[in-house]
Amino acid sequence: MRADARRNRERIVACALELFAERGPGVSMEELAREAGLGVGTLYRHFPDRRALVEEIATSALRSMAAEIRALSAKDLSRWDVLTQVVTHCTEQPLALVKSIADGGDEIPPERHALQNEVDGLLRGLVKAVQDEGTMRGDISPAEAVEIFSTAVCRPGARAGDAVTRVMLDGLST
Amino acid sequence: MRADARRNRERIVACALELFAERGPGVSMEELAREAGLGVGTLYRHFPDRRALVEEIATSALRSMAAEIRALSAKDLSRWDVLTQVVTHCTEQPLALVKSIADGGDEIPPERHALQNEVDGLLRGLVKAVQDEGTMRGDISPAEAVEIFSTAVCRPGARAGDAVTRVMLDGLST
DNA sequence: TCCAAGGTGAATCGGATCTTCCGCTTCTGG
DNA sequence: CCAGAAGCGGAAGATCCGATTCACCTTGGA
């Protein structure tokens, strides 16, 4: 593959990641192309159709999300601090986008479904750990906690450490 | 106006209110009609076009919202309790819808714009009062607080007293 | 009973996207 | 440096989807 082609492909993925995260799904191929400074045709050279593009982005984001949670969990920090950092990480990139894509109507391909379950499981596990540690209130189920995160993080214009996120975390702590 | 016509008009407004609240704008006229158990044509007999329908619902919801805030504010309750009830009221009906409609792209007609400002002002005033009372943390600006409410309340499927709302309120209290 | 107000929903209209395609441009191996 | 493959651009055409219309059927109520 030619060097410039690889560069362009990367740029497409990066821009799509960003645009989906900040404006939700439904961004048109043309906007994606413009943002990346390329022609629409180029998107189609790299991805057979919209779905393929969305799929690549979603799965890669989920994969990196799962990796990040694992990495942070392995650190020698209080579970609460791990949670905080996970939330920060989510706000900065993937989850928001993944959720926005997930809302996009298409049927979920099995691979992505599995990844989503994996991330969900990791998050719920983390919540449980934080509660066991005693730093998070116990009257919220892991599933509810995850919903709360989504609400705070998957918001157009969410930024790490903004008021919504701070209030949510404070409301969750004991 | 014939009795059945009046009945149908009311049913349209009620269903639209509900559908917009729970599924956001972008619900099609056909869905609206189906939900109301009527034909599409009937919607058009009552409202010249989609915009007129949306407009009627939005302004009436905003009006009742403002009235509700005023009514609750006049009660002899702590400002915190007033806030709690306002949030509950929002979750049960209008704001969610109004915001979801506001996101719908159309330019905001002046009348609605004025109403939105009014509601916004009332909310910010209430927040200020709660903070002065000392029951809400002071490191959140009224505007941020309103954004937090929106986030918690304008969510597909929000229900009064659910985990998201509870956590948000706890996070806001001192 | 009569008939105008009211209701219906298939068909039409339009706007917005997605995709295709072919001529033009940019790499890169030799 | 050059030939030709790889890549790019973006107008044009195919599609999709929801808003709106309209010719015809129902029904409230005088």
Side-chain angles (χ1 to χ4, degrees), chain A:
Chain A
M1 178 183 264
R2 244 162 65 175
D4 58 340
R6 187 191 328 290
R7 226 180 359 261
N8 284 336
R9 180 181 233 277
E10 278 161 17
R11 184 178 303 189
I12 292 169
V13 171
C15 289
L17 202 67
E18 190 169 331
L19 274 190
F20 279 133
E22 80 188 27
R23 307 233 313 271
V27 196
S28 71
M29 293 300 261
E30 193 177 329
E31 284 174 297
L32 250 21
R34 186 164 351 108
E35 184 70 14
L38 300 168
V40 223
T42 305
L43 299 210
Y44 284 90
R45 168 166 304 276
H46 291 287
F47 302 93
D49 58 21
R50 169 181 250 278
R51 172 164 315 181
L53 171 56
V54 167
E55 200 47 35
E56 158 132 356
I57 291 180
T59 57
S60 96
L62 279 168
R63 242 189 293 276
S64 95
M65 178 80 230
E68 185 70 22
I69 298 179
R70 287 221 168 75
L72 287 170
S73 294
K75 286 192 176 176
D76 182 27
L77 295 170
S78 72
R79 295 302 89 186
W80 177 264
D81 289 344
V82 170
L83 180 67
T84 303
Q85 294 196 22
V86 166
V87 169
T88 299
H89 181 260
C90 288
T91 312
E92 280 163 351
Q93 275 297 310
L95 223 210
L97 150 185
V98 172
K99 190 182 180 197
S100 79
I101 291 172
D103 291 345
D106 308 327
E107 338 67 61
I108 18 64
E111 186 191 356
R112 194 164 94 208
H113 193 268
L115 280 167
Q116 281 174 349
N117 280 344
E118 185 183 346
V119 170
D120 233 53
L122 287 171
L123 284 175
R124 284 203 296 272
L126 178 56
V127 168
K128 184 104 189 348
V130 181
Q131 287 178 325
D132 288 346
E133 175 187 73
T135 45
M136 183 193 295
R137 56 197 283 182
D139 63 338
I140 300 285
S141 73
E144 285 173 325
V146 173
E147 189 198 346
I148 293 173
F149 297 149
S150 304
T151 303
V153 161
C154 307
R155 207 173 13 118
R159 276 175 308 115
D162 64 11
V164 176
T165 310
R166 289 200 319 273
V167 166
M168 171 201 73
L169 284 171
D170 289 348
L172 280 171
S173 72
T174 39

Side-chain angles (χ1 to χ4, degrees), chain B residues 19-158:
Chain B
L19 273 190
F20 279 132
E22 78 187 29
R23 307 236 310 272
V27 197
S28 72
M29 293 300 260
E30 193 177 329
E31 283 174 298
L32 250 21
R34 187 165 350 108
E35 185 70 12
L38 300 168
V40 222
T42 307
L43 300 209
Y44 285 91
R45 172 168 300 278
H46 291 286
F47 301 92
D49 57 20
R50 170 182 248 276
R51 171 165 316 181
L53 172 55
V54 167
E55 201 46 36
E56 157 131 357
I57 291 181
T59 57
S60 95
L62 279 168
R63 242 190 293 278
S64 95
M65 179 79 231
E68 185 70 20
I69 297 178
R70 287 221 168 75
L72 287 170
S73 295
K75 285 192 177 176
D76 182 27
L77 294 171
S78 73
R79 295 302 88 184
W80 177 264
D81 288 346
V82 171
L83 181 67
T84 303
Q85 293 195 23
V86 166
V87 169
T88 299
H89 181 261
C90 289
T91 311
E92 279 163 351
Q93 275 296 313
L95 224 210
L97 149 186
V98 172
K99 189 183 180 195
S100 79
I101 290 171
D103 291 342
D106 308 328
E107 338 66 60
I108 20 63
E111 187 192 356
R112 195 165 93 206
H113 191 268
L115 280 167
Q116 281 174 348
N117 280 344
E118 185 184 344
V119 170
D120 233 52
L122 287 171
L123 284 176
R124 284 203 297 271
L126 178 55
V127 168
K128 182 108 190 345
V130 181
Q131 287 178 325
D132 289 345
E133 176 186 73
T135 45
M136 183 194 294
R137 56 197 282 183
D139 63 338
I140 300 286
S141 73
E144 286 174 323
V146 173
E147 189 199 345
I148 293 173
F149 298 150
S150 304
T151 303
V153 161
C154 306
R155 204 171 18 117

